[in-house]
Amino acid sequence: MEQNTMPRVSLRVSIILHFILVRAALAADGVESSLAGGLKTRFSRVFSFGDSLTDTGNLVRLPAARDVPERRLPYGQTYFHRATGRASDGRLAIDFIAEALELPHLTPYLAGESAGDFRHGANFAVGGATANDAGFFERRGLKSSVPVSLATEMAWFKELLQHLASSSAQEQREITASSLFVVGEMGGNDYLIAFFQNRTLDEAKTFVPGITDAIRSFLTELIGLGAKTILVQGMLPIGCEPRILELFKNSHVAGDYDDETGCLKSINELAEQHNRELTGVLDELRLAHTGTAIIYADFYRAVTDIAASPRKHGFGGEPLLACCGGGGGPYNVKLTARCGGEGTAVCGDPWEYVSWDGIHYTEAANRVIARGIMEGQYTTPLI
């Protein structure tokens, strides 16, 4: 069975997604809704932000990223049969969301040449992007390899909005009010910078308030520009990432591994702390901006559910094993190489795997994660 023969997101899921998002938007206004009424509402565009879990081709267009592995196969092999800049063998969760809304895959902001390229929205996410700006890391003696933060992505969005509707502020607000905004997981790279530059878990935990404050500022600015429906993804379970498990495998005792998933509990506590603070921020924003629907997508639970019961979700029995690796051992990860590099190899059945390259997910996993979000299984407030 080949991955690209798997069925597309069904019409039923598309309808459910419309219903969930429309109901959330109407609930923010205190208006009752019905399924029939919800189906009449369409989002004219989707604008997405984030890092490599959401990037559909911006990183590979940066001058500083001429040699990143996302530029070449086996990235993109399953669905596109070529490298597109996506950090996966195929589609990402944002691709499945666009498909469910019956919209084309989003054009990466750095790939567009005219307003017509963005008539269905745009993707501003960049692989390696951080929530905090470069100064945050410089003050701590750390270095970010990608010069893009949430502030950068916001500046790009405002430039594009001006380009799409330069005639009036009212026209710009009509665009933002009729669009779905997807803010992908942000902050993961901030923490990974600390881990891969030999900083402690305790130091990484001190990053949480700064990261959630950056997300708060970003969302506040989006709302100020007229956004009415925003889907915000939480932090993934970092302690379930094969490269992180390989990095820390000699420094954690057996009791630190979760019996159900095999993930590192102490590392996941960081993600849980992040998500507690993030959901608190979202609650505050909901109270302050009652006319905007702010929907939380529980990325953490979506992934840990798969890790705990991989076969239930259609995967093989090794959810913490990277498909594209070469390190052997319990995680098939080689820390000195990346997928597509010398000494690595890709598995023959990526649809059986959750992790693509030890950090990012396979198309099959992205499909399951996206479906869980679209069907409302991992979204709050509950509809």
Side-chain angles (χ1 to χ4, degrees):
M1 176 181 178
E2 294 185 1
Q3 172 74 0
N4 57 3
T5 65
M6 294 176 69
R8 292 167 63 87
V9 175
S10 68
L11 177 61
R12 181 181 67 85
V13 173
S14 176
I15 290 172
I16 291 172
L17 176 60
H18 281 298
F19 185 46
I20 288 170
L21 296 176
V22 170
R23 281 289 301 273
L26 293 173
D29 286 323
V31 179
E32 290 297 324
S33 175
S34 67
L35 179 59
L39 291 176
K40 294 177 182 177
T41 301
R42 301 283 301 218
F43 293 104
S44 59
R45 292 178 173 88
V46 176
F47 294 107
S48 69
F49 308 84
D51 57 20
S52 56
L53 298 177
T54 309
D55 182 6
T56 56
N58 284 311
L59 173 64
V60 296
R61 289 175 168 82
L62 292 177
R66 290 193 177 93
D67 195 40
V68 294
E70 291 85 353
R71 283 182 172 274
R72 54 188 179 270
L73 291 169
Y75 286 87
Q77 68 172 28
T78 295
Y79 180 79
F80 300 99
H81 308 297
R82 61 183 177 84
T84 64
R86 289 167 172 81
S88 177
D89 63 308
R91 288 166 288 183
L92 308 180
I94 188 62
D95 294 313
F96 289 111
I97 290 173
E99 288 178 10
L101 290 169
E102 300 179 3
L103 294 174
H105 295 158
L106 302 183
T107 301
Y109 173 69
L110 297 180
E113 297 179 355
S114 68
D117 293 326
F118 303 109
R119 62 185 178 276
H120 298 296
N123 191 339
F124 301 93
V126 178
T130 53
N132 290 297
D133 61 21
F136 175 90
F137 301 102
E138 290 170 1
R139 291 190 293 272
R140 290 159 176 79
L142 296 166
K143 184 178 180 180
S144 173
S145 59
V146 176
V148 175
S149 66
L150 269 176
T152 312
E153 295 182 20
M154 174 57 74
W156 288 348
F157 171 64
K158 291 196 288 189
E159 288 176 3
L160 178 59
L161 188 59
Q162 179 67 27
H163 190 54
L164 292 174
S166 58
S167 59
S168 71
Q170 177 60 31
E171 186 180 358
Q172 292 179 15
R173 296 186 77 84
E174 288 173 359
I175 289 174
T176 55
S178 62
S179 300
L180 170 65
F181 291 84
V182 178
V183 182
E185 171 273 326
M186 282 301 290
N189 287 315
D190 302 58
Y191 302 128
L192 292 181
I193 285 170
F195 290 148
F196 284 107
Q197 294 181 39
N198 299 316
R199 300 302 175 89
T200 66
L201 174 60
D202 285 342
E203 182 174 353
K205 287 182 176 180
T206 67
F207 291 9
V208 175
I211 290 170
T212 53
D213 280 348
I215 296 171
R216 182 203 306 270
S217 297
F218 179 85
L219 295 174
T220 300
E221 196 160 3
L222 270 187
I223 294 167
L225 291 167
K228 293 297 182 184
T229 311
I230 309 173
L231 181 70
V232 183
Q233 293 182 3
M235 180 58 53
L236 72 160
I238 308 172
C240 298
E241 297 294 284
R243 288 188 75 86
I244 294 298
L245 286 159
E246 179 69 20
L247 178 68
F248 287 109
K249 72 177 182 181
N250 295 322
S251 58
H252 288 259
V253 298
D256 194 23
Y257 291 88
D258 185 87
D259 291 337
E260 190 175 23
T261 63
C263 304
L264 277 169
K265 292 187 288 187
S266 59
I267 304 296
N268 275 348
E269 285 171 2
L270 167 63
E272 291 167 1
Q273 178 184 342
H274 172 104
N275 288 334
R276 283 194 300 272
E277 296 203 20
L278 175 61
T279 53
V281 165
L282 300 186
D283 286 342
E284 293 171 11
L285 289 173
R286 290 185 190 108
L287 287 173
H289 305 280
T290 55
T292 297
I294 303 172
I295 306 156
Y296 175 66
D298 193 345
F299 203 161
Y300 183 99
R301 191 159 63 90
V303 175
T304 53
D305 279 358
I306 297 173
S309 304
R311 296 191 185 281
K312 173 184 174 182
H313 295 278
F315 299 97
E318 300 289 344
L320 304 182
L321 201 67
C323 168
C324 188
Y331 310 114
N332 191 34
V333 168
K334 182 181 291 186
L335 292 176
T336 56
R338 289 190 61 185
C339 175
E342 185 177 352
T344 65
V346 63
C347 66
D349 49 357
W351 53 87
E352 290 281 336
Y353 286 72
V354 177
S355 178
W356 166 242
D357 58 8
I359 288 290
H360 308 101
Y361 299 104
T362 60
E363 172 174 292
N366 286 324
R367 182 197 304 273
V368 172
I369 292 165
R371 180 174 289 131
I373 291 171
M374 291 186 292
E375 292 182 339
Q377 183 179 357
Y378 300 118
T379 56
T380 53
L382 297 175
I383 305 304

